[in-house]
Amino acid sequence: MATKNLPMREALRQALREEMQRDERVFIMGEEVGKWHGTHRVTQGLYEEFGARRVRDTPISEMAIAGAAVGAAMAGLRPVAELMTINFAFLSLDAMINHAAKIHYMFNGQFTVPLVYRAATGWGNQATATHSHMPEPIFAHFPGMYVGVPSNAYDAKGMLKAAIRDENPVLFTETIALYPKPSPVPDEEYVLPIGKADIKRQGGDVTIVTYARGVEWSLQAADMLAKEGVEVEIVDMRWLRPLDMEPVFESFKKTNRCVVVEESLPMFSFGSEIAAQLQEAAFDYMDAPIKRVSAMDVPLPYAAEIELMALPNAQKIVDAVRGVL
Amino acid sequence: MATQTATLPKEQLLDWYHQIVLIRKFENMCDALYAEKRITGVYMHLYSGHEATGVGALAAITPEDHVITAYRDHGIALARGVDPKAVMAEMMGKRTGTSGGKGGSMHLASREHNFWGGYAIVGGHLPLATGIALKVKYMGEPNVVISFVGDGATNNGYFHEAVNLAAVWDLPVVWIIENNLVGMGTRVEEASGQPDLVKRAIAYGMKEGPRVDGQDVVAVYEAVKEAVEYARATGPVLMESLTYRYQGHGVSDRQYSAREDLKSELEIWQQRDPIIVLRSRLTKRFKNIEPELERIEEEADRIVAEAVEFAEQSPAPGYEDLIANVYVE
């Protein structure tokens, strides 16, 4: 199959364009998505192509963006609402959690809420404490909404298309550092199923469970470890909800050792969840304590030297893997 | 605004009388059942006193139009034509309730009536109204959205953002502030820098609708009818209906309405009770209508009794209901 090397932002743009061409009910709304071309240029050109009806610039009104998307979705449209960055989603939390995620259940299935919240996420840009969050686990805490966290351009396109077509609300976050990174994207259309993890590297010694940018760091760490003769298996979860634990269990039963890598914070986290589920389901296969590589438990500072100190990297992952061998 | 009672058909006025009396009797029954613990739950906010607002407003729109409200929603559901049996069953948490017993008093809804629900986070439903209206405009439909909003909700951020967005996009929404003078226990003048709430329309460059007498169903109907026509043709309208809640904020609050200093206020409002105001209009215009009104009242008693019987005999939801509809499968 013919492919093109595309940066993640272009792959995402393809997904949006294809779904808007396929279904007139799909539209984009958010701050600076139209005439400004999107803060991270994901929506570049779509305003010119689809017009102001389908690419809707909004005021700086995160509560209204998130809530109006719920109403429009209930009424029959398929909004893709951009929250610019996930940091601003804290302003929209009520609409997302109390309404998007609960309306289908609370009214006993009378309404569906087929929307996608897109948001840029991640840190390491000297963006400082308020603009340096990776809070996806907060959203994955609540039943009723799916949470997609792609790690590369190919996955991002197929996952976003699935999210737009799904009848459930989806939070879809895109790591800013990954936007410019290319990966091969097929010319032909494809959709990747919601809630399916992917093995990004095979190996028999240690299982690394991760998502989003953690995959990149883990692949770097895997190369370093391979030189020492240690083969790691990398499970990219792709979705925090639904959480596809089967490949994790299978890998762990083979390796008996696990390191969880998360760009997010360590308390009440992705790592906590994976570790808890592993010990419940596969305690007899465990040869070492499960280790976590997370961001440090501090708000992120401005100065680059200490900011990067607080974040995961390949060396920290290598150290953690050595620690479970 | 000049009222046009003389031109309204008798059947319509009698239908409104039926609806207002039904809501009042329904709410009185809910109150009694709650006291007997036959309705349980922490929250229940009665519509008594507000009836003319809901009935008059919803008489001004068609079944294809849309309605959304906050948690004081029983009267809105009934005025929209939702079966009182299903509403009462929801109060009792039964499988036959409007939300299958999973929503409760504050989360009534009926998709088939384009009643998009009652919502319990103050202001939370306001952007949903904007979104529903966006769908109407996006698809080129001729419909409008009526979004009720309490006086208290006009002070949170949702109100500002949702109303402004509707104005920016010229969406067909009629925002009706049900101003009952108190948000939980805080008076409007203690909570709002501009207590003349409808004036906020000016700040959004939006059509300022009237401040209507919310005790008079005819006045509400006529004002909303005009607002709906404007919304269909042009864009959003903010209007206000002045009314009063008879039974405090909710069942968790009996002390407010029992306050000695407020008894006279309650009495003043009850002298202009929606039932009294409409009854007086009817008896003035139609001679010897009293027996007909009594029949309507008896009919309402019968409907409420049947609703209670239906609800009590309905099954409670089970485990399969507990786990159903978390996601669309």
Side-chain angles (χ1 to χ4, degrees):
Chain A
M1 198 190 301
T3 63
K4 278 194 194 68
N5 248 2
L6 291 183
M8 189 170 83
R9 67 161 53 85
E10 282 185 37
L12 288 163
R13 191 183 306 142
Q14 280 191 352
L16 291 168
R17 179 185 289 119
E18 287 172 15
E19 292 309 300
M20 288 177 79
Q21 284 167 344
R22 197 181 66 88
D23 186 345
E24 200 209 345
R25 299 169 301 166
V26 177
F27 73 99
I28 294 170
M29 62 186 280
E31 295 158 11
E32 311 299 351
V33 294
K35 293 173 194 160
W36 185 279
H37 288 163
T39 310
H40 295 96
R41 289 187 288 112
V42 172
T43 56
Q44 191 165 41
L46 299 181
Y47 178 83
E48 287 74 12
E49 184 174 348
F50 293 98
R53 172 171 170 258
R54 298 188 65 197
V55 182
R56 308 185 72 93
D57 283 319
T58 67
I60 303 171
S61 297
E62 288 80 7
M63 297 166 84
I65 294 166
V70 173
M74 290 168 76
L77 299 181
R78 304 186 83 86
V80 180
E82 182 178 312
L83 294 165
M84 193 180 289
T85 83
I86 195 70
N87 309 293
F88 310 145
F90 296 148
L91 287 161
S92 330
L93 210 55
D94 176 65
M96 298 172 77
I97 302 303
N98 272 327
H99 297 131
K102 293 188 182 173
I103 276 172
H104 183 62
Y105 185 86
M106 197 162 68
F107 296 116
N108 204 27
Q110 290 187 73
F111 308 111
T112 56
V113 189
L115 62 77
V116 179
Y117 294 122
R118 283 186 49 246
T121 191
W123 43 18
N125 309 304
Q126 287 190 273
T128 74
T130 60
H131 280 58
S132 293
H133 290 287
M134 200 144 179
E136 289 74 10
I138 292 174
F139 296 90
H141 178 68
F142 298 97
M145 187 160 65
Y146 293 146
V147 180
V149 283
S151 66
N152 64 60
Y154 170 82
D155 286 4
K157 181 179 177 185
M159 288 167 64
L160 181 56
K161 284 169 71 79
I164 292 169
R165 293 182 192 188
D166 200 80
E167 294 302 321
N168 293 288
V170 177
L171 171 66
F172 194 86
T173 70
E174 303 155 6
T175 306
I176 293 167
L178 299 177
Y179 275 138
K181 303 223 164 136
S183 68
V185 175
D187 293 339
E188 275 183 36
E189 186 176 34
Y190 65 98
V191 178
L192 296 173
I194 285 179
K196 187 137 176 45
D198 186 44
I199 308 292
K200 288 291 193 284
R201 180 181 172 120
Q202 293 192 328
D205 296 324
V206 177
T207 301
I208 293 180
V209 183
T210 187
Y211 64 95
R213 202 179 174 193
V215 174
E216 185 181 53
W217 293 321
S218 299
L219 286 166
Q220 291 164 3
D223 285 341
M224 292 156 75
L225 287 158
K227 289 174 189 152
E228 303 171 13
V230 176
E231 289 301 329
V232 299
E233 181 146 294
I234 300 172
V235 185
D236 176 3
M237 296 308 287
R238 283 179 171 162
W239 298 88
L240 302 190
R241 245 188 211 268
L243 191 66
D244 185 13
M245 285 303 288
E246 274 316 307
V248 178
F249 295 146
E250 272 177 44
S251 179
F252 189 70
K253 285 174 184 174
K254 182 172 70 179
T255 63
N256 314 114
R257 294 159 206 278
C258 179
V259 171
V260 184
V261 177
E262 57 192 337
E263 196 177 344
S264 191
L265 294 164
M267 295 282 283
F268 314 100
S269 72
F270 172 73
S272 317
E273 181 64 31
I274 299 292
Q277 291 208 29
L278 267 179
Q279 64 84 19
E280 277 175 4
F283 185 74
D284 292 340
Y285 294 87
M286 197 177 294
D287 284 351
I290 296 164
K291 281 208 179 281
R292 295 184 287 161
V293 179
S294 315
M296 275 173 62
D297 198 22
V298 294
L300 270 224
Y302 173 67
E305 294 82 356
I306 57 171
E307 183 196 27
L308 291 179
M309 225 180 264
L311 297 177
N313 58 39
Q315 188 58 51
K316 288 186 186 180
I317 298 167
V318 168
D319 294 344
V321 168
R322 286 184 185 138
V324 300
L325 283 171
Chain B
M1 185 184 302
T3 51
Q4 307 292 318
T5 329
T7 63
L8 289 167
K10 182 182 179 188
E11 296 71 35
Q12 181 155 33
L13 292 168
L14 287 176
D15 179 49
W16 293 347
Y17 190 77
H18 165 78
Q19 289 187 49
I20 290 174
V21 168
L22 175 66
I23 294 169
R24 178 68 54 80
K25 287 178 182 290
F26 189 94
E27 296 296 61
N28 287 343
M29 180 61 79
C30 285
D31 202 31
L33 293 171
Y34 195 88
E36 295 169 19
K37 295 191 166 41
R38 288 157 75 191
I39 292 176
T40 53
V42 185
Y43 301 111
M44 188 169 77
H45 311 83
L46 301 175
Y47 205 63
S48 308
H50 284 235
E51 296 93 342
T53 300
V55 171
L58 299 192
I61 58 171
T62 72
E64 290 74 37
D65 293 319
H66 306 281
V67 182
I68 193 164
T69 190
Y71 46 82
R72 200 178 297 283
D73 59 352
H74 310 176
I76 302 299
L78 295 174
R80 191 56 173 165
V82 181
D83 188 346
K85 289 178 178 166
V87 178
M88 188 58 84
E90 192 61 32
M91 301 298 154
M92 294 193 188
K94 297 300 181 75
R95 184 185 263 167
T96 53
T98 51
S99 296
K102 289 159 78 168
S105 158
M106 303 192 293
H107 300 122
L108 306 171
S110 176
R111 180 71 189 82
E112 61 169 306
H113 293 88
N114 284 323
F115 171 44
W116 298 86
Y119 291 83
I121 298 291
V122 172
H125 66 293
L126 302 175
L128 274 58
T130 302
I132 295 163
L134 171 60
K135 183 263 183 175
V136 167
K137 183 164 179 174
Y138 186 98
M139 300 305 276
E141 293 161 355
N143 308 119
V144 296
V145 179
I146 284 186
S147 175
F148 295 98
V149 45
D151 49 85
T154 63
N155 293 318
N156 86 7
Y158 268 133
F159 179 83
H160 167 67
E161 293 195 8
V163 170
N164 183 57
L165 187 58
V168 168
W169 286 347
D170 298 322
L171 300 179
V173 191
V174 177
W175 310 96
I176 302 176
I177 303 170
E178 288 187 87
N179 183 353
N180 61 20
L181 314 184
V182 195
M184 281 196 81
T186 305
R187 312 275 308 184
V188 167
E189 59 274 16
E190 295 165 352
S192 299
Q194 169 53 278
D196 195 350
L197 299 177
V198 79
K199 288 268 175 280
R200 295 194 183 194
I202 300 162
Y204 301 109
M206 181 181 288
K207 167 83 171 172
E208 181 186 335
R211 251 194 155 182
V212 71
D213 174 5
Q215 303 303 92
D216 181 356
V217 66
V218 174
V220 173
Y221 166 75
E222 286 175 350
V224 175
K225 194 162 186 288
E226 199 177 309
V228 163
E229 277 164 21
Y230 182 89
R232 266 191 232 287
T234 311
V237 182
L238 182 68
M239 61 171 289
E240 196 174 348
S241 181
L242 286 173
T243 184
Y244 202 74
R245 56 183 209 201
Y246 288 178
Q247 282 150 304
H249 170 64
V251 287
S252 58
D253 155 40
R254 282 288 177 266
Q255 71 277 16
Y256 190 89
S257 46
R259 264 168 57 176
E260 279 303 318
D261 59 326
L262 292 173
K263 276 195 174 154
S264 60
E265 182 175 86
L266 177 64
E267 278 161 18
I268 289 165
W269 280 89
Q270 286 184 327
Q271 282 163 16
R272 301 204 61 258
D273 181 83
I275 296 173
I276 294 172
V277 171
L278 180 55
R279 196 172 227 280
S280 143
R281 282 184 179 281
L282 282 159
T283 51
K284 267 184 210 152
R285 186 169 146 198
F286 305 105
K287 288 218 176 343
N288 302 321
I289 200 167
E290 286 82 358
E292 217 166 330
L293 301 181
E294 275 160 34
R295 271 200 303 280
I296 286 171
E297 288 157 19
E298 285 162 17
E299 168 81 355
D301 279 327
R302 187 184 59 74
I303 290 169
V304 171
E306 282 177 8
V308 173
E309 193 185 348
F310 171 83
E312 292 203 312
Q313 287 175 2
S314 290
Y319 180 76
E320 63 273 33
D321 302 298
L322 171 67
I323 59 170
N325 294 320
V326 178
Y327 294 96
V328 184
E329 297 300 337

